[in-house]
Amino acid sequence: MSLEGLELGEAGASGDRAAGRREAIRTTVAGLHAELVRYGLVAWTAGNVSGRIPGEDLFVIKPSGVSYDELNAGNMVVCDLDGDLVEGEHAPSSDTAAHAYVYRNMPDVGGVVHTHSTYASAWAARGEAIPCVLTAMADEFGGEIPLGPFALIGDDSIGRGIVETLKGHRSKAVLMQNHGVFSIGKDPRAAVKAAVMCEDVARTVHVARQLGEPLPIPQDDIDRLYDRYQNVYGQRSPR
Ligand SMILES: [Zn+2]
């Protein structure tokens, strides 16, 4: 093979790998939307999942206004980190600017989820953080699930509120006041897990509140639980 041919071959192979990564994230993100439905976190077309494409300043997100049972890898859309459409036939989700702001400002985040799940949004409607009164909360969120600011859609306000609240915070979920939940993770699946767990503890703490005041967990016990769950619990990753 000529040198030119070899170089073209290498460029083609790396292009194939990049295309393969994009396709894998499209498939993952499309499939994870079914989890939002399965766990009862969404109504109609509200809610969305996105996933960063490794090695590129791009992410995959749900198209706007397409019903959950019509979502598939092919109709997911690809946006750059300014939230502008790069690939796809549909307009991106109306929450794309918020997702893009998070990816721009939190380089370790590989997945973002937004829902209006009922119990968590009820806490958001009251403008109240969910206090850490369950060991499951200490495990997963390392403390309370914080409240973010009231912010209107249309510019960077929501994204800024998410990043300002979650940067340096243990919690991977934030209750945006009067709105709903944004959750983050190292990948889209982890962000979906945080959204599911957020709604689960929001419901339990709400129920606990009906008959009295839930008991707080001492901070040093929260710290111990969080450390154990994050570092010891579960299957060791083969990596
Ligand atoms: Zn929303």
Side-chain angles (χ1 to χ4, degrees):
M1 188 188 285
S2 72
L3 186 59
E4 192 183 15
L6 189 66
E7 281 170 354
L8 282 172
E10 281 175 355
S14 75
D16 285 351
R17 277 195 296 277
R21 277 196 298 271
R22 274 191 199 194
E23 196 53 34
I25 300 288
R26 276 173 174 278
T27 304
T28 300
V29 169
L32 284 169
H33 282 90
E35 300 293 295
L36 302 187
V37 176
R38 186 150 78 104
Y39 286 98
L41 305 187
V42 292
W44 201 238
T45 63
N48 37 71
V49 180
S50 69
R52 192 193 289 271
I53 300 174
E56 298 184 77
D57 286 337
L58 298 171
F59 62 98
V60 172
I61 191 164
K62 174 176 167 283
S64 180
V66 178
S67 76
Y68 274 86
D69 52 9
E70 288 170 12
L71 295 178
N72 56 53
N75 59 25
M76 292 293 112
V77 298
V78 177
C79 292
D80 63 23
L81 298 193
D82 291 321
D84 293 324
L85 183 71
V86 170
E87 199 176 280
E89 284 164 23
H90 296 79
S93 160
S94 51
D95 295 304
T96 297
H99 290 246
Y101 190 93
V102 173
Y103 289 122
R104 276 206 309 280
N105 290 281
M106 300 181 88
D108 293 338
V109 169
V112 179
V113 172
H114 174 48
T115 80
H116 301 156
S117 65
T118 306
Y119 285 89
S121 298
W123 287 86
R126 291 195 308 272
E128 197 176 350
I130 307 174
C132 187
V133 292
L134 296 165
T135 57
M137 283 190 74
D139 289 345
E140 185 70 32
F141 300 102
E144 67 166 21
I145 297 179
L147 180 74
F150 175 74
L152 290 178
I153 201 161
D155 57 17
D156 278 347
S157 310
I158 295 176
R160 246 190 350 259
I162 299 165
V163 170
E164 281 168 7
T165 309
L166 292 185
K167 222 172 190 175
H169 203 290
R170 285 175 177 173
S171 176
K172 298 289 182 267
V174 51
L175 310 173
M176 293 300 284
Q177 188 179 311
N178 300 101
H179 184 177
V181 180
F182 279 85
S183 63
I184 56 174
K186 65 178 175 15
D187 55 35
R189 185 176 178 77
V192 170
K193 182 191 177 195
V196 171
M197 298 308 282
C198 176
E199 178 63 5
D200 187 53
V201 300
R203 183 175 57 223
T204 306
V205 181
H206 172 88
V207 170
R209 271 275 186 91
Q210 305 312 297
L211 289 173
E213 197 56 37
L215 304 173
I217 301 174
Q219 186 62 48
D220 56 341
D221 288 326
I222 292 174
D223 293 345
R224 265 199 292 273
L225 286 162
Y226 181 68
D227 179 64
R228 177 186 159 278
Y229 189 78
Q230 299 298 320
N231 298 310
V232 182
Y233 177 78
Q235 302 291 324
R236 288 270 172 205
S237 162
R239 278 172 290 158

